[in-house]
Amino acid sequence: MSELILFLAEQGKTIKSGFLKSQDKAGTRNMYGEEQMALDKWADDVLIKGLKKTRLVRYIATEEQPVIIEIENPKNQFGVVIDPLDGSSLIDVNLAVGTIIGIYPGNVLDKGKNMIAAMYILYGPLTTLTLSAGNGVCDFVMDEKGEFNLTAQDIRIPDAKLYAPGALRKDYLPAHAKFIEELENEGYKLRFSGSFVADMHQILHKGGVFTYPGYAGKEKGKLRLLFEANPIGKIITDAGGAISNGRTDILEMKPTAIDDITPIYAGGKKEIRLIEKMIAESQSG
Ligand code: F6P
Ligand code: MN
């Protein structure tokens, strides 16, 4: 697994070097109907080609591919789930985007709680790598030689009043509207960039809650269970926080397909308990 993690970190370096080459749209859409950036496709290609060449994993599922790729003659049985460039609509305005990866012992259509490692590489003013592989959550910073140096170990999510709310307020479902109102009354400050990975990195280090809820007309929300919710969910949970769909722990969900989407609440346990209580009450009442 360490060989795989080092290989993926190396690909992060390559992806980082691509930002100068292009900030353009690809002129195509992915299976979720989202406009792809040229770099979405390129980063996807870098990762898939590299994994095929090294044969370090058996299964690859990425946000840009419609089916699970199975590698011939793999050296290991690992399955990886990848969002090659999360937040890519922000590339052309130079805001932070990232690569999100989860590693399973085998098949990727598995509960998030069975992941053996999760990581993300965040391309901001610094390039950082955040990893949880059974020994707590760690941060690494890429230096001028392109090497990742450990900067924080056993990261724990602090208790703080930040909230990152996705979706339009006019479409909020009643329990969610109540939750947001409560956070605002409690003095939570707004932090939403349009890049899930960047927003979650802030929540991991500074506390609070990120949500992309289910909303009127799209009760399952927007974000992907395999590629976004689960890997970030493992990291935030291993840091003492939690992730929920508003009813239950997302890491307990068995995926039905690689393109499953889910409402997301991720952050401090206190905030996750509050939304679960409000949704439960709205259903019982
Ligand atoms: O990958 C999907 C994504 O770009 C996330 O990174 C981000 O949190 C969300 O979509 C933003 O969605 P919207 O543009 O609807 O606010
Ligand atoms: Mn994404």
Side-chain angles (χ1 to χ4, degrees):
M1 189 165 74
S2 48
E3 197 184 341
L4 174 59
I5 291 169
L6 287 171
F7 168 79
L8 293 166
E10 201 61 30
Q11 305 318 294
K13 232 163 81 182
T14 306
I15 293 169
K16 169 79 179 177
S17 73
F19 292 113
L20 267 179
K21 291 188 201 131
S22 160
Q23 300 86 42
D24 300 332
K25 297 191 168 76
T28 50
R29 291 184 181 269
N30 64 15
M31 61 179 158
Y32 308 92
E34 290 172 331
E35 195 158 36
Q36 289 172 305
M37 300 295 287
L39 279 177
D40 281 321
K41 293 177 120 178
W42 179 75
D44 192 48
D45 213 46
V46 165
L47 288 158
I48 293 173
K49 278 197 180 130
L51 286 166
K52 279 186 174 164
K53 195 165 165 211
T54 56
R55 296 184 288 112
L56 285 169
V57 303
R58 177 161 179 193
Y59 304 105
I60 311 170
T62 87
E63 203 178 285
E64 309 302 332
Q65 300 292 327
V67 292
I68 298 172
I69 298 168
E70 191 169 348
I71 293 197
E72 270 175 47
N73 197 14
K75 290 185 191 153
N76 307 296
Q77 293 303 310
F78 297 130
V80 283
V81 287
I82 305 176
D83 181 351
L85 263 189
D86 179 59
S88 58
S89 69
L90 300 179
I91 290 172
D92 55 356
V93 287
N94 195 28
L95 288 178
V97 301
T99 301
I100 307 174
I101 301 167
I103 305 174
Y104 288 87
N107 194 343
V108 295
L109 279 180
D110 196 359
K111 291 184 183 176
K113 71 169 188 189
N114 294 331
M115 246 178 296
I116 45 180
M119 61 193 274
Y120 56 80
I121 302 162
L122 187 63
Y123 315 103
L126 296 171
T127 298
T128 60
L129 190 157
T130 301
L131 171 73
S132 184
N135 269 320
V137 179
C138 304
D139 267 351
F140 302 81
V141 175
M142 196 169 87
D143 64 18
E144 60 285 343
K145 292 188 290 250
E147 275 167 23
F148 283 103
N149 298 293
L150 183 69
T151 50
Q153 251 174 312
D154 202 13
I155 298 165
R156 309 297 291 171
I157 180 172
D159 188 14
K161 293 184 174 178
L162 297 182
Y163 77 128
L168 300 182
R169 192 176 285 261
K170 73 176 178 59
D171 297 329
Y172 285 175
L173 301 175
H176 181 76
K178 211 171 139 204
F179 175 62
I180 296 295
E181 193 186 335
E182 169 106 10
L183 298 180
E184 287 169 351
N185 289 339
E186 290 290 322
Y188 278 64
K189 285 195 197 172
L190 180 67
R191 297 284 187 273
F192 191 86
S193 73
S195 165
F196 175 56
V197 62
D199 290 339
M200 281 307 303
H201 191 63
Q202 177 162 204
I203 300 286
L204 172 69
H205 283 276
K206 297 192 174 171
V209 61
F210 173 98
T211 165
Y212 208 112
Y215 57 90
K218 238 182 150 187
E219 280 68 15
K220 287 191 169 167
K222 173 179 185 188
L223 298 188
R224 272 66 51 153
L225 174 64
L226 265 74
F227 310 114
E228 295 169 320
N230 276 337
I232 299 286
K234 173 171 172 58
I235 289 170
I236 203 82
T237 302
D238 292 348
I243 186 161
S244 172
N245 60 13
R247 293 176 177 81
T248 179
D249 184 348
I250 284 182
L251 298 176
E252 296 285 348
M253 307 299 296
K254 173 98 170 108
T256 56
I258 58 167
D259 59 352
D260 279 359
I261 54 173
T262 177
I264 289 186
Y265 296 86
K269 276 193 177 139
K270 186 178 70 183
E271 290 83 0
I272 304 309
R273 270 199 297 265
L274 178 65
I275 183 62
E276 286 187 343
K277 182 170 150 266
M278 285 178 162
I279 290 185
E281 279 171 5
S282 78
Q283 285 172 339
S284 66

